Amino acid sequence: MSDETTAQKPAISPPKVLGIFALAMINVAAVLSIRNFPSMAEYGWSCIGWYIIGTVMFLIPISLAGAELATMLSDKGGGVYAWCKEAFGTEGGFIAVFCEWSNNLVWFPTVLSFIAMTLAFALSPTLTNNPWYLFVVMMVAFWGTTAIAYFGENVSTKFQNIGVILGSIIPSILIIGLGIFWIVTGAKIVLPPFSIGEIVPSLNLSTFPYFATVILLFAGMEMAGFHALETRNPSRDYPRAMALSAVLIFACTVLATLAIAFVIPATSLNLAGGVMQAIQYFFTTLQIPWAVAPMAVLITIGGVVSLTAWLIGPAKGLGVVAEHGNLPPLFNKTNKYGSPVAVLVIQALIGSFISLLYVFLPSVNQAYWVLTAITVELLCIVYLLVFASLIKLRYTRPDAPRPFRIPGGMPGIWIIGGMGIVGVILAAVAGFMPTGNTTPLQTAEYVVGLLIGTFLLAVPPLIFLKMKKPGWVETTEKEV
Amino acid sequence: MTKIEKEAWAAIAIIILVIAIPIGAILVFSTHEPYQIITGDIISDAAHNAGLTVVGSINSSLHYPGATTGKSYTISDMDGRLYVIHIQKFDSENSRDGAVRLYNAHSVAKGRPPGELIIVGDTLVYIPAPSAPIKQLVVPWIKAQKPGNI
């Protein structure tokens, strides 16, 4: 490609195009998803308790940790790579960003099929059974968002800003507004009368596997960190963007979930039918069935912007790893827009291949949840490293300027970092528990299988660092 | 091919391999559930077998192409706590597998899909996450009804 440049050419300084709103929208795009609402609404009032657990043990810690680390290391690109590298060296940083990237490869087919199936609801629901329709729409969405990423931060930011408002915030506000309308008009609320006892979630061994889901409901709050080099004033903008996105995500998620729980009885929330079934019931009950198709289009847009946020962030991080000479020079190809084209193309090719298997092989489709269980463990590795970095850097670099500093001194950092670590460890343990009824032998097979899968997807950085050649570093040094 | 190019291809091969191994394991170890008409009332029988009581059931067919009979059961345990289990039958293997894909597409955030989906011939049994406490009691019986186990 004519506009590509390799590491031998001088590095292009990325344009500083991101402000508070754009940064916040990157996080909102990555985290806020309508498809989570009906599944949480199944819990009725106790969804509030689950959300509080997720907020205290993950959303608040990761938001504060991200704000401190991103402002402290605002001159370094790579997001979690830069943060964990500073604390644990190249191995730590590389493993963190690679786990975030490799879990995406497994996640892509599920989000892509969500996009295709939700769009089918707006076009013709019979299309959901057509594998060719699914595959074509999945590929258009995947390569389309890859193309958006190709044109750099300026284009992808504009796309995300508009897309997240249309596809995530407006549908959430619409659902909340209709829930309020439902109450105001005196219609029957299907939940039992409110009491404090009702919001306390039932915590026991059978509900424990759900813990991982609740903690990781807010995964992605670190996504804006990958865009540090493109931020106009990171010291000022990043903490404000984190606060804005955390408040927006929490408010939209809790209120929209409750709105659905108020209107739809648990017996009608058959999630085997997905979010559009719930939306259809919701709108039909509110006597606005015509709104289902436009809503399907909006939710499809929400799926695409979520895909864009996750597709770009970790790829940028891996691009920085390559820039530092930790991957062969092929991975260090950037275009004139500053996008890591090689990583984006490799990612798109592998994701397309997995999607092909996912759509056309029913045995892969039926057992795919095992792979999604591996993604839970990979994300836990990322967040464990982030929280551990937060604590360690307070000891190893106590005097480094921190425009945003978690208050409370060392006790404060231990409370926030410790809470995050406990939450993530519990989520990781919960992720190893099979959801079905299994014998001890089947449980052992499941756990060993997950451990091997997680190890395989997390270990390549150590192999690449073993393979690392001086030539890779030399080209990088020329660039710096 | 230069040495640098060989290294690059080796790195790509490693990435493909680490993804291919888990998917390959699924291909080798998992079996595609055969489509077969299942007669009888799986959930009522499973509840009865587990000492639980079906206190009610409503028709709740999915608006999904190929979906035929669907029911939502409200089940009570010995302490009077209520739980919900859904079933949905499909008119073809293609539509049943499409519904499985739809379920997989609804993973919560980046985690697993909520609850548990069990495929029994032409029927999907969905046990929502809040009904987890009765799962141990009913799932073994439900799984025993799979065509391959009869």
Side-chain angles (χ1 to χ4, degrees):
Chain A
M1 278 180 244
S2 61
D3 57 0
E4 280 174 4
T5 174
T6 58
Q8 285 86 350
K9 294 181 183 173
I12 300 161
S13 174
K16 307 271 184 194
V17 293
L18 302 179
I20 297 171
F21 183 75
L23 278 176
M25 289 307 105
I26 289 170
N27 280 353
V28 174
V31 181
L32 182 63
S33 176
I34 311 293
R35 67 181 172 151
N36 299 339
F37 301 163
S39 53
M40 292 303 290
E42 284 184 332
Y43 278 91
W45 288 114
S46 70
C47 75
I48 297 175
W50 283 111
Y51 279 138
I52 290 171
I53 290 174
T55 302
V56 170
M57 301 199 79
F58 188 77
L59 180 63
I60 293 173
I62 193 67
S63 302
L64 293 173
E68 175 162 326
L69 292 169
T71 53
M72 177 187 167
L73 302 165
S74 61
D75 57 336
K76 294 181 169 65
V80 297
Y81 168 67
W83 307 346
C84 299
K85 178 174 179 272
E86 201 69 16
F88 297 107
T90 303
E91 287 90 348
F94 196 175
I95 287 173
V97 76
F98 194 86
C99 284
E100 188 139 48
W101 185 73
S102 62
N103 102 69
N104 267 344
L105 297 177
V106 175
W107 176 71
F108 285 142
T110 61
V111 71
L112 287 166
S113 61
F114 172 77
I115 290 166
M117 288 182 147
T118 309
L119 184 64
F121 236 89
L123 303 173
S124 166
T126 50
L127 290 170
T128 49
N129 283 344
N130 185 333
W132 283 105
Y133 158 81
L134 287 181
F135 188 67
V136 168
V137 174
M138 286 164 76
M139 290 303 99
V140 169
F142 199 22
W143 287 91
T145 46
T146 299
I148 288 167
Y150 178 90
F151 288 106
E153 204 69 53
N154 211 358
V155 172
S156 62
T157 301
K158 281 177 188 155
F159 177 77
Q160 275 188 341
N161 286 352
I162 297 167
V164 80
I165 290 169
L166 283 176
S168 301
I169 295 175
I170 287 179
S172 302
I173 291 172
L174 207 61
I175 291 171
I176 295 166
L178 290 170
I180 293 170
F181 174 77
W182 185 261
I183 296 167
V184 170
T185 53
K188 185 175 179 274
I189 294 173
V190 298
L191 290 182
F194 177 79
S195 70
I196 293 295
E198 286 284 338
I199 67 169
V200 179
S202 161
L203 286 170
N204 54 49
L205 262 185
S206 63
T207 58
F208 188 59
Y210 199 64
F211 196 85
T213 305
V214 173
I215 290 289
L216 295 174
L217 197 68
F218 298 115
M221 284 300 290
E222 75 290 358
M223 209 48 61
F226 286 108
H227 305 260
L229 293 181
E230 291 87 7
T231 305
R232 283 190 213 112
N233 185 348
S235 317
R236 187 201 62 185
D237 293 351
Y238 198 90
R240 291 177 186 185
M242 289 300 265
L244 175 63
S245 55
V247 169
L248 257 176
I249 290 164
F250 183 78
C252 286
T253 304
V254 175
L255 296 176
T257 303
L258 282 176
I260 291 173
F262 284 164
V263 179
I264 309 179
T267 46
S268 299
L269 274 171
N270 184 353
L271 289 177
V275 66
M276 285 315 299
Q277 297 288 337
I279 293 291
Q280 191 171 44
Y281 185 97
F282 190 76
F283 283 2
T284 307
T285 308
L286 290 161
Q287 296 177 339
I288 46 168
W290 54 265
V292 173
M295 190 68 163
V297 174
L298 292 180
I299 294 175
T300 303
I301 294 170
V304 173
V305 290
S306 172
L307 170 69
T308 312
W310 283 97
L311 183 143
I312 295 175
K316 282 172 81 83
L318 208 59
V320 175
V321 172
E323 258 179 48
H324 290 188
N326 299 313
L327 281 168
L330 171 75
F331 287 80
N332 188 19
K333 275 185 186 254
T334 54
N335 62 15
K336 66 179 178 184
Y337 307 105
S339 295
V341 274
V343 177
L344 287 171
V345 170
I346 291 167
Q347 167 177 283
L349 288 172
I350 297 174
S352 300
F353 178 66
I354 303 174
S355 298
L356 185 78
L357 297 178
Y358 177 76
V359 171
F360 290 102
L361 293 181
S363 57
V364 171
N365 174 27
Q366 290 182 7
Y368 204 80
W369 66 271
V370 178
L371 289 180
T372 59
I374 292 173
T375 67
V376 170
E377 302 306 326
L378 291 168
L379 276 180
C380 287
I381 293 173
V382 178
Y383 294 121
L384 266 182
L385 283 166
V386 169
F387 289 122
S389 300
L390 174 77
I391 295 171
K392 190 178 177 193
L393 287 172
R394 279 290 185 102
Y395 286 95
T396 56
R397 295 192 55 198
D399 301 322
R402 288 173 169 82
F404 174 83
R405 184 179 280 265
I406 292 173
M410 292 314 269
I413 210 79
W414 272 103
I415 289 169
I416 295 298
M419 218 143 57
I421 287 174
V422 169
V424 171
I425 288 176
L426 286 174
V429 173
F432 277 114
M433 293 174 71
T435 57
N437 183 64
T438 53
T439 63
L441 180 65
Q442 287 169 328
T443 303
E445 284 171 357
Y446 174 77
V447 170
V448 170
L450 273 197
L451 280 172
I452 293 172
T454 307
F455 176 79
L456 279 172
L457 286 162
V459 82
L462 300 178
I463 300 173
F464 294 142
L465 290 174
K466 278 271 181 209
M467 285 168 61
K468 187 173 173 177
K469 297 284 185 311
W472 302 358
V473 181
E474 278 165 20
T475 52
T476 308
E477 281 172 352
K478 278 178 198 169
E479 187 185 3
V480 176
Chain B
M1 194 183 278
T2 66
K3 198 179 170 198
I4 292 275
E5 282 171 339
K6 279 182 189 165
E7 288 162 3
W9 283 112
I12 292 170
I14 289 167
I15 293 172
I16 292 172
L17 199 64
V18 296
I19 298 283
I21 290 173
I23 293 180
I26 284 180
L27 277 171
V28 171
F29 294 115
S30 74
T31 50
H32 179 232
E33 188 66 26
Y35 179 86
Q36 192 172 308
I37 304 293
I38 302 291
T39 53
D41 190 339
I42 302 176
I43 301 304
S44 292
D45 292 348
H48 178 74
N49 194 54
L52 304 168
T53 311
V54 175
V55 294
S57 67
I58 57 165
N59 289 329
S60 62
S61 287
L62 295 178
H63 295 284
Y64 187 86
T68 55
T69 316
K71 265 188 175 182
S72 297
Y73 293 81
T74 304
I75 295 170
S76 166
D77 68 6
M78 279 108 170
D79 300 322
R81 281 185 289 262
L82 299 177
Y83 302 97
V84 175
I85 295 180
H86 307 273
I87 66 156
Q88 179 64 59
K89 288 179 179 288
F90 293 88
D91 64 4
S92 67
E93 184 171 352
N94 195 30
S95 61
R96 182 202 66 181
D97 290 347
V100 174
R101 270 194 295 269
L102 184 65
Y103 171 74
N104 280 341
H106 284 80
S107 55
V108 173
K110 296 197 95 182
R112 286 181 286 193
E116 187 176 358
L117 193 72
I118 304 166
I119 308 166
V120 186
D122 65 343
T123 308
L124 293 185
V125 178
Y126 173 61
I127 305 176
S131 298
I134 59 165
K135 210 163 58 179
Q136 301 284 338
L137 300 172
V138 296
V139 169
W141 200 92
I142 294 170
K143 284 189 173 169
Q145 308 313 304
K146 284 172 177 263
N149 294 335
I150 298 173

